[in-house]
């Protein structure tokens, strides 16, 4: 297949980058993971440190002062941050999604205005696609943007928006022509302090609780027409092209959560003695762990493959692999974390032990950035109705 002959041997620089992320996860993220999860604390302090040592905004291009690292290198960092805590990892990584539409469709000037400052300071953006009534069905977006001279007036509501609370701006997808369905959507950069933008609610989640996820209302929000990304009607395509290259980042987060659960399960299985021997000596337990190791490696390689294809500029070929990776890694994380709780038995179900958090965290990977069912839909469309 397409993978033929690819070597994923890491360079010295890639190994160093991964080691830096691993150390950061161990020293800065792990110690705070339980507390930030319990209290739903936005990890502003950890984000600032990640920014300072260069673990954020990895993909920003050189002309903006960014490190311009390949998507593949982002996988090495993303896995380690999510081994530490996927709530905190998502808070750090979501800037990639926010910046996506500006990289895909923004002019040089727009990129300078909105992405340039991200290099200097730990500023957050957010990606405003989902609405209360339009999640999987993006073409059902109800938010409207009406042209008025040199401005647009935006009205509507956004739901489940990662980092909306702390964000400085949102890329907001709105309909500029309701009669044209998905071809009537357009994308706008909206500063969050614009009058009429309100954080309605910081949502109370099952897992990944250290990430801010908010509901946002737009009431007569006026933005200059120069804040529109691309032409009117290009919003749907911009959103899809963004998700094509951000889904591997979500997939690798799931790999990180699964890896964390696996490592804990192995340690526990070696230590926990029942019937006079460590439970690892029972095939009922050791086979669970063997499957975990196999499936995590498969998920990691599929995700690396998707990232590699993005770096090769494989277009819709990358769409297919991104969805392969997102679907498989998310479902793997759910299975592995559920089995890890099983290995820990009664203790695993208790908040005192770290595996129940991983199981709660894993669930979100099957839902956000396109559910596991939507990934199958994308895969099936690429198989039966390929667009080149
Ligand atoms: N690249 C370029 N163009 C694309 C494309 C892609 N990847 N995918 C579709 N298109 C084009 C199609 O070619 C088609 O073009 P025409 O207008 O020329 O016909 C057009 O877009 C419409 O495509 P479809 O007919 O396939 O559209 P659809 O309405 O059936 O929807 C879908 C497709 C895949 C289901 C899409 O709606 C989708 O991805 N839904 C899931 C949305 C999602 O992932 N939401 C998550 C939000 S982000 C989030 O969760 C982040 C967070 O906070 C962490």
């Amino acid at each position: 297949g397409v993978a033929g002959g690819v070597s994923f041997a890491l360079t010295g620089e890639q190994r160093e980058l991964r080691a830096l992320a691993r150390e950061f996860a161990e020293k800065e993220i792990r110690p705070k993971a339980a507390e930030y999860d319990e209290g739903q604390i936005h990890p502003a302090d950890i984000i600032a440190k990640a920014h300072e040592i260069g673990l954020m905004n990895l993909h920003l291009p050189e002309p903006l002062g960014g490190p311009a690292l390949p998507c593949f290198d982002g996988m090495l960092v993303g896995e380690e941050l999510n081994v530490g805590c996927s709530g905190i990892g998502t808070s750090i990584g979501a800037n990639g999604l926010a910046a996506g539409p500006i990289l895909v469709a923004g002019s040089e000037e727009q990129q300078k205005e909105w992405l340039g400052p991200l290099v200097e300071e730990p500023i957050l953006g957010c990606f405003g696609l989902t609405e209360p009534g339009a999640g999987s069905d993006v073409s059902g977006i109800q938010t409207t943007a009406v042209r008025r001279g040199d401005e647009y007036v935006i009205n509507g509501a956004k739901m489940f928006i990662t980092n909306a609370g702390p964000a400085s701006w949102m890329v907001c997808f709105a309909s500029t022509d309701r009669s044209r369905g998905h071809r009537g959507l357009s994308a706008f950069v909206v500063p969050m302090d614009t009058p009429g933008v309100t954080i309605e609610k910081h949502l109370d989640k099952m897992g990944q609780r250290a990430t801010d996820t908010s509901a946002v209302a737009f009431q007569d929000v006026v933005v200059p027409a120069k804040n529109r990304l691309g032409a009117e009607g290009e919003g749907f395509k911009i959103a899809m092209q963004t998700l094509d290259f951000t889904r591997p980042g979500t997939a690798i987060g799931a790999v990180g959560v699964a890896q964390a659960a696996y490592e804990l399960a192995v340690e526990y299985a070696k230590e926990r003695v029942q019937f006079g021997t460590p439970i690892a000596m029972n095939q009922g337990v050791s086979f669970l762990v063997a499957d975990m190791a196999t499936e995590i490696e498969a998920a990691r390689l599929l995700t690396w493959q998707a990232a590699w294809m993005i770096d090769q500029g494989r277009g819709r070929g990358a769409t297919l692999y991104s969805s392969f990776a997102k679907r498989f890694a998310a479902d793997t994380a759910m299975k592995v974390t559920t089995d890890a709780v099983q290995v820990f038995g009664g203790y695993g179900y208790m908040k005192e032990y770290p595996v129940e958090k991983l199981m709660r965290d894993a669930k979100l990977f099957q839902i956000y950035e396109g559910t596991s069912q939507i990934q199958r839909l994308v895969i099936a469309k690429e198989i039966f109705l390929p667009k080149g």
Side-chain angles (χ1 to χ4, degrees):
V2 197
V6 173
S7 162
F8 286 130
L10 303 185
T11 65
E13 276 178 17
Q14 286 171 326
R15 284 174 194 283
E16 275 172 33
L17 182 67
R18 185 169 64 177
L20 181 71
R22 181 174 304 165
E23 196 190 335
F24 186 80
E26 277 167 14
K27 290 205 178 130
E28 306 290 343
I29 299 180
R30 270 265 171 87
K32 291 179 172 164
E35 181 198 341
Y36 282 29
D37 171 67
E38 173 80 21
Q40 294 214 106
I41 298 167
H42 166 65
D45 55 337
I46 300 175
I47 292 171
K49 281 182 190 161
H51 186 271
E52 196 184 312
I53 66 165
L55 293 176
M56 260 182 98
N57 304 316
L58 302 176
H59 53 291
L60 288 186
E62 266 165 14
L64 297 172
L69 289 179
C71 185
F72 186 87
D73 293 39
M75 300 302 107
L76 305 175
V77 172
E79 179 175 341
E80 297 303 336
L81 299 183
N82 281 274
V83 168
C85 170
S86 61
I88 296 169
T90 295
S91 301
I92 295 171
N95 250 18
L97 182 63
I102 306 177
L103 289 173
V104 164
S107 64
E108 212 174 292
E109 233 169 42
Q110 287 172 324
Q111 296 195 359
K112 241 187 229 156
E113 180 174 4
W114 302 107
L115 303 181
L118 303 192
V119 177
E120 306 300 324
E121 279 178 75
I123 290 172
L124 298 177
C126 63
F127 182 78
L129 187 69
T130 302
E131 300 190 350
S136 294
D137 184 7
V138 172
S139 65
I141 280 177
Q142 299 289 310
T143 296
T144 54
V146 176
R147 180 102 192 203
R148 199 178 66 186
D150 276 350
E151 298 168 339
Y152 283 89
V153 184
I154 302 177
N155 278 286
K158 294 290 168 185
M159 189 61 168
F160 309 134
I161 306 303
T162 299
N163 278 344
S168 298
W169 46 260
M170 173 193 286
V171 174
C172 176
F173 293 87
S175 181
T176 40
D177 185 349
R178 295 289 285 278
S179 69
R180 304 199 68 211
H182 75 266
R183 290 187 183 155
L185 296 185
S186 307
F188 302 89
V189 185
V190 182
M192 294 298 280
D193 60 4
T194 310
V197 179
T198 318
I199 302 290
E200 293 264 272
K201 196 171 184 192
H202 298 279
L203 301 160
D204 191 3
K205 300 197 299 298
M206 172 197 272
Q208 300 197 16
R209 291 168 54 83
T211 307
D212 176 82
T213 306
S214 292
V216 188
F218 289 80
Q219 196 180 5
D220 297 326
V221 175
V222 177
V223 293
K226 72 172 175 61
N227 286 22
R228 194 189 65 230
L229 301 169
E232 278 195 7
E234 284 181 358
F236 188 93
K237 215 170 199 172
I238 293 169
M240 291 305 122
Q241 287 173 343
T242 298
L243 291 167
D244 281 348
F245 75 78
T246 59
R247 281 176 180 154
T250 309
I252 209 68
V255 171
V257 170
Q259 178 68 26
Y262 162 76
E263 287 173 14
L264 290 164
V266 169
E267 280 317 300
Y268 189 79
K270 286 196 280 194
E271 283 162 19
R272 172 74 170 168
V273 174
Q274 291 289 280
F275 306 107
T277 59
I279 60 171
M281 295 299 115
N282 299 325
Q283 285 189 345
V285 170
S286 66
F287 281 16
L288 277 185
V289 173
D291 283 353
M292 286 182 191
T294 311
E295 284 156 31
I296 291 169
E297 189 61 10
R300 180 180 292 117
L301 287 173
L302 195 50
T303 304
W304 283 10
Q305 176 70 55
W308 180 85
M309 290 189 62
I310 287 166
D311 291 332
Q312 302 294 308
R314 291 288 175 95
R316 292 297 276 267
T319 306
L320 179 62
Y321 273 75
S322 287
S323 285
F324 281 166
K326 166 67 170 63
R327 199 291 285 168
F328 188 74
D331 292 352
T332 296
M334 196 65 243
K335 178 164 182 286
V336 167
T337 56
T338 305
D339 287 347
V341 170
Q342 195 66 18
V343 170
F344 274 74
Y347 293 106
Y349 203 67
M350 299 298 128
K351 294 244 177 200
E352 253 180 271
Y353 284 75
V355 285
E356 64 82 33
K357 171 182 184 289
L358 298 173
M359 189 176 162
R360 288 187 285 107
D361 289 347
K363 187 64 203 169
L364 191 47
F365 288 104
Q366 293 181 311
I367 298 171
Y368 66 11
E369 281 204 55
T371 63
S372 291
Q373 290 67 35
I374 288 296
Q375 304 311 325
R376 288 180 174 93
L377 191 71
V378 172
I379 293 164
K381 277 194 189 198
E382 294 297 324
I383 293 169
F384 292 109
L385 304 163
K387 288 251 172 137

